[in-house]
Amino acid sequence: MNSILLRKELREARWKIVLGTAILTATALFIPLAFNYIKDLISVLPQEQLEKYGGIMTLNIFNDFSLYLWSQWNAKNLTQIGTILAVLVGMNLIAGEISGRTAGFLLTRPVSRRSVFLTKALAGMLTIIFMVWFATIIMVVVVNYFMPYTIDAGRLFLTTVLTTLGLLVLFSLTLLFSTLIDEPVKAGGATLLIILLIVLFGWFGPLRFLNLFNYMSGARYFLGGIFPVVPAAVMCGSILVLSIAGLSVFEKKEF
Amino acid sequence: MNLAIEFENLSKNFGEKKAVDNLSLQVPEGSIFGFLGPNGAGKTTTVKMMLGLLRPDGGRGRVLNRDIGRESEAIRSKVGYVAEVQEMYRYMTVQEIISFCKPFYPHWNDLLVKKYLDFFQLPAREKIKSLSKGMKTQLALILGMAPEPELLVLDEPTSGLDTINRQEFLRIILEEIAVQGKTVFLSSHLLHDVERVADQVAILNQGKLIDIRPIDNLKTSVKKIRVVFQKDVPEELFSQPGIQSYTREENAYLLSVEDNLQEILNSLKKYPYFVLDIINQNLEEIFIEKVRRDQE
């Protein structure tokens, strides 16, 4: 890790950090503020329609504010917006240096490729972690201090750990493609194709276990109370494996 | 003799194309070494291998007594590099890119940076994206010299400069680097520039080294001889060592000669002639002749 490079990476990512944090925070604030409005809206719908299309969950989430927050935040908005942000943060890190032709300038300084790659990976991960946790903490603080609801903040935070791990897996995948493909948009596109494939796994019963998004939502923990140790470990392992693969490609890459 | 650069059968292929083909050369410490070749000869590929941007497919190379494959980072800490197209971070200002580069190096000459920022009138608060190509090259030269490198590698550095700036550029290299006994590796196809400053040259064509020697030696040993004989002379006269090629029109001959000049002249003078001139060649003419001959 190189502090000069880290400052450079964070500076280059500053607009992504600002906009990503703003979008996530706005969404995080909208969810609790919209609780009564959505609850009223749902209540006017015919019961049989709700049971037919919304399932039991739709009814239950309005009886438990923590459940509502989780279902709208971890299981939905954070996962969806976070996925897009993870790809946007990662796709430019290596491919951007190549397409901008600054890689030659950077790599002719006395700095190892390992240091360059790991610093970029760290900068990207810190960016994602900051955006996710800033928005989540703001949401919990606002609910606890300014709204008449009580929430299980500990459980929500622990679930957010799982969501963050999933987003870091997607970021590491994007970084790998950013190393393999010299064009940022193509690297992002290739990652999105893989993500689409992962989503498709969720549609087929026997392959469901391969769907990362099932684990990212933390449903098993939030609804069942059992922390998914193995999936969490697999996500950590995936981050490590994808990062090592990216590093290996980067160290062998010719510029 | 201490060597700043030493290549032994260095090779690099891009698919079927041999970009650098068994290149062996030695660059003595303290020399200004001109690395010449037409476009696509393999000059930039060689420079990139020296700096660890490309890996050799064969052979070995040492720069400042360090292996180019295994000790690239250590090499780069002692090498200044100015590239043909020096893309820097466009969003940074001149001062920011200087501050960004400085911590990477063990030495950094702030006085030199200030001196040449003032000399080139480079605005410290200007963003890189708004600098002209010439200003970027000047900034790259400052960044290349500021770490007080033992070796300055210049890859077509003057291509984007006008005549005045090119002369200034070369003068600064002589004043700041060469005078201090540091080595300069100047890769270029602008032969007038190389001729002005270099003390040794290597000529590369299609990845192969076709000549390497001190520039004075090159200019004294490579000549053209124009001779008009009074009557026909035997063809064997032109097959002696040192005559690289010749053209003939009636009894007038134009010989390209390399080495063995005196013996060739003596043998030509054995036959009655109207005219016998020795034509000196500048580096550009020698270069064109050698590359053309190599391509044949």
Side-chain angles (χ1 to χ4, degrees), chain A residues 108-110, chain B residues 47 50-51 64 75-83 86 105 140-155 177 183-185:
Chain A
T108 49
R109 307 302 112 190
Chain B
V47 168
M50 282 167 65
L51 297 168
L64 303 171
I75 290 171
R76 281 180 271 128
S77 70
K78 294 181 174 183
V79 173
Y81 172 55
V82 182
Q86 191 75 81
Y105 294 92
L141 178 64
I142 295 173
L143 294 175
M145 293 192 303
E148 299 182 324
E150 290 178 27
L151 167 67
L152 186 62
V153 177
L154 307 163
D155 185 13
I177 305 291
T183 314
V184 178
F185 187 88

Side-chain angles (χ1 to χ4, degrees), chain B residues 171-215:
Chain B
R171 181 187 62 76
I172 290 164
I173 288 165
L174 285 173
E175 278 181 11
E176 296 292 345
I177 305 291
V179 166
Q180 296 175 34
K182 293 170 180 173
T183 314
V184 178
F185 187 88
L186 173 56
S187 164
S188 182
H189 66 272
L190 296 172
L191 302 169
H192 292 301
D193 291 352
V194 177
E195 190 168 16
R196 198 171 295 142
V197 296
D199 44 32
Q200 278 210 59
V201 289
I203 300 175
L204 200 67
N205 188 41
Q206 294 175 341
K208 285 188 173 172
L209 185 70
I210 55 176
D211 204 349
I212 176 169
R213 64 172 91 187
I215 198 162

Side-chain angles (χ1 to χ4, degrees), chain A residues 2 4-5 8 11-12 97 100-102 105-113 251-252 254-255, chain B residues 12 48 51-55 73 76-77 81 86-89 91 96-97 100-101 103-105:
Chain A
N2 184 306
I4 316 156
L5 276 178
K8 167 195 159 291
R11 182 183 173 184
E12 286 179 0
E97 295 271 7
R101 295 195 293 175
T102 49
F105 178 77
L106 179 60
L107 296 175
T108 49
R109 307 302 112 190
V111 58
S112 70
R113 290 195 183 192
E251 284 192 320
K252 289 179 188 140
E254 299 199 315
F255 294 92
Chain B
K12 181 70 193 173
K48 284 184 170 183
L51 297 168
L53 293 176
L54 292 173
R55 267 184 311 283
E73 193 182 339
R76 281 180 271 128
S77 70
Y81 172 55
Q86 191 75 81
E87 287 296 342
M88 292 173 263
Y89 297 104
Y91 61 87
E96 283 169 348
I97 197 90
F100 173 71
C101 291
F104 287 117
Y105 294 92

Side-chain angles (χ1 to χ4, degrees), chain A residues 35-250:
Chain A
F35 177 70
N36 283 329
Y37 174 74
I38 297 172
K39 190 178 177 184
D40 292 345
L41 197 71
I42 295 290
S43 67
V44 298
L45 293 174
Q47 191 67 23
E48 63 272 17
Q49 289 292 315
L50 273 178
E51 284 175 2
K52 188 176 176 185
Y53 298 110
I56 295 164
M57 178 64 85
T58 312
L59 300 173
N60 282 351
I61 60 172
F62 295 108
N63 300 327
D64 180 342
F65 194 76
S66 288
L67 184 62
Y68 165 77
L69 275 191
W70 166 80
S71 71
Q72 298 305 301
W73 183 238
N74 298 87
K76 194 175 166 189
N77 288 294
L78 180 59
T79 304
Q80 290 167 350
I81 299 170
T83 297
I84 294 165
L85 290 175
V87 173
L88 286 175
V89 168
M91 68 185 205
N92 216 44
L93 284 174
I94 305 291
E97 295 271 7
I98 298 165
S99 65
R101 295 195 293 175
T102 49
F105 178 77
L106 179 60
L107 296 175
T108 49
R109 307 302 112 190
V111 58
S112 70
R113 290 195 183 192
R114 176 176 295 244
S115 177
V116 170
F117 184 88
L118 293 179
T119 305
K120 282 178 177 287
L122 179 68
M125 287 181 187
L126 287 176
T127 300
I128 290 165
I129 290 167
F130 173 79
M131 290 190 295
V132 169
W133 284 87
F134 182 86
T136 307
I137 289 168
I138 289 287
M139 181 177 75
V140 169
V141 167
V142 166
V143 171
N144 269 340
Y145 290 96
F146 301 101
M147 299 183 87
Y149 309 111
T150 51
I151 55 167
D152 188 347
R155 203 150 58 115
L156 199 73
F157 283 149
L158 208 52
T159 311
T160 305
V161 169
L162 293 170
T163 315
T164 309
L165 282 177
L167 292 176
L168 294 181
V169 172
L170 297 176
F171 164 77
S172 305
L173 180 69
T174 314
L175 186 59
L176 173 62
F177 277 113
S178 180
T179 315
L180 286 167
I181 302 169
D182 294 350
E183 178 61 46
V185 176
K186 287 180 184 169
T191 313
L192 288 173
L193 277 177
I194 299 292
I195 289 172
L196 193 67
L197 203 65
I198 291 171
V199 171
L200 284 177
F201 287 146
W203 292 2
F204 305 101
L207 297 175
R208 206 177 198 131
F209 75 100
L210 289 171
N211 187 349
L212 175 71
F213 294 97
N214 286 341
Y215 308 110
M216 278 171 74
S217 68
R220 198 165 139 199
Y221 168 66
F222 204 88
L223 299 174
I226 305 160
F227 189 81
V229 176
V230 174
V234 170
M235 284 195 279
C236 288
S238 301
I239 295 166
L240 197 66
V241 167
L242 289 167
S243 298
I244 290 170
L247 174 62
S248 174
V249 172
F250 187 66

Side-chain angles (χ1 to χ4, degrees), chain B residues 43-70:
Chain B
K43 303 188 298 295
T44 298
T45 303
T46 306
V47 168
K48 284 184 170 183
M49 284 193 282
M50 282 167 65
L51 297 168
L53 293 176
L54 292 173
R55 267 184 311 283
D57 292 325
R60 58 186 275 280
R62 292 183 74 77
V63 173
L64 303 171
N65 287 319
R66 292 177 190 275
D67 186 273
I68 58 171
R70 293 194 304 270

Side-chain angles (χ1 to χ4, degrees), chain B:
Chain B
M1 180 177 63
N2 291 328
L3 298 174
I5 300 169
E6 189 180 9
F7 298 148
E8 203 178 297
N9 299 320
L10 200 66
S11 298
K12 181 70 193 173
N13 304 325
F14 294 117
E16 294 294 305
K17 186 182 177 344
K18 289 187 172 180
V20 175
D21 189 3
N22 281 311
L23 175 66
S24 297
L25 62 80
Q26 297 181 331
V27 178
E29 264 182 24
S31 63
I32 302 184
F33 192 89
F35 195 51
L36 311 178
N39 290 334
K43 303 188 298 295
T44 298
T45 303
T46 306
V47 168
K48 284 184 170 183
M49 284 193 282
M50 282 167 65
L51 297 168
L53 293 176
L54 292 173
R55 267 184 311 283
D57 292 325
R60 58 186 275 280
R62 292 183 74 77
V63 173
L64 303 171
N65 287 319
R66 292 177 190 275
D67 186 273
I68 58 171
R70 293 194 304 270
E71 298 169 284
S72 178
E73 193 182 339
I75 290 171
R76 281 180 271 128
S77 70
K78 294 181 174 183
V79 173
Y81 172 55
V82 182
E84 179 183 7
V85 182
Q86 191 75 81
E87 287 296 342
M88 292 173 263
Y89 297 104
R90 291 166 53 82
Y91 61 87
M92 288 190 189
T93 64
V94 169
Q95 187 55 55
E96 283 169 348
I97 197 90
I98 291 167
S99 303
F100 173 71
C101 291
K102 182 178 173 179
F104 287 117
Y105 294 92
H107 306 287
W108 191 265
N109 189 334
D110 286 315
L111 288 175
L112 183 141
V113 171
K114 186 175 181 329
K115 176 181 167 185
Y116 283 105
L117 279 180
D118 291 344
F119 179 80
F120 289 131
Q121 296 183 313
L122 288 175
R125 291 183 182 174
E126 197 78 46
K127 284 199 188 291
I128 306 277
K129 65 181 170 192
S130 59
L131 298 182
S132 68
K133 192 177 176 188
M135 290 164 105
K136 281 183 196 166
T137 307
Q138 290 164 339
L139 178 58
L141 178 64
I142 295 173
L143 294 175
M145 293 192 303
E148 299 182 324
E150 290 178 27
L151 167 67
L152 186 62
V153 177
L154 307 163
D155 185 13
E156 305 278 8
T158 54
S159 298
L161 300 179
D162 59 41
T163 312
I164 295 168
N165 278 320
R166 267 167 53 197
Q167 292 216 5
E168 283 298 337
F169 190 99
L170 297 170
R171 181 187 62 76
I172 290 164
I173 288 165
L174 285 173
E175 278 181 11
E176 296 292 345
I177 305 291
V179 166
Q180 296 175 34
K182 293 170 180 173
T183 314
V184 178
F185 187 88
L186 173 56
S187 164
S188 182
H189 66 272
L190 296 172
L191 302 169
H192 292 301
D193 291 352
V194 177
E195 190 168 16
R196 198 171 295 142
V197 296
D199 44 32
Q200 278 210 59
V201 289
I203 300 175
L204 200 67
N205 188 41
Q206 294 175 341
K208 285 188 173 172
L209 185 70
I210 55 176
D211 204 349
I212 176 169
R213 64 172 91 187
I215 198 162
D216 291 340
N217 177 279
L218 192 68
K219 287 164 81 174
T220 52
S221 60
V222 179
K223 305 277 184 188
K224 283 209 184 276
I225 299 173
R226 188 177 58 178
V227 56
V228 182
F229 292 107
Q230 292 179 11
K231 55 182 180 180
D232 285 351
V233 293
E235 287 293 316
E236 298 83 63
L237 183 62
F238 306 106
S239 59
Q240 59 184 305
I243 298 177
Q244 300 297 319
S245 63
Y246 67 94
T247 54
R248 178 189 178 183
E249 197 170 311
E250 301 291 330
N251 284 334
Y253 293 81
L254 184 64
L255 281 63
S256 293
V257 173
E258 195 171 323
D259 304 316
N260 210 22
L261 180 65
Q262 201 52 51
E263 284 181 35
I264 293 167
L265 284 173
N266 291 340
S267 61
L268 294 175
K269 283 175 182 174
K270 286 177 187 168
Y271 298 89
Y273 58 87
F274 294 118
V275 177
L276 196 153
D277 287 337
I278 300 168
I279 305 166
N280 289 325
Q281 290 185 280
N282 63 26
L283 184 60
E284 185 165 358
E285 290 163 332
I286 295 169
F287 171 79
I288 292 167
E289 176 77 19
K290 281 185 171 289
V291 171
R292 187 182 54 77
R293 206 184 303 145
D294 183 65
Q295 282 168 347
E296 282 169 4

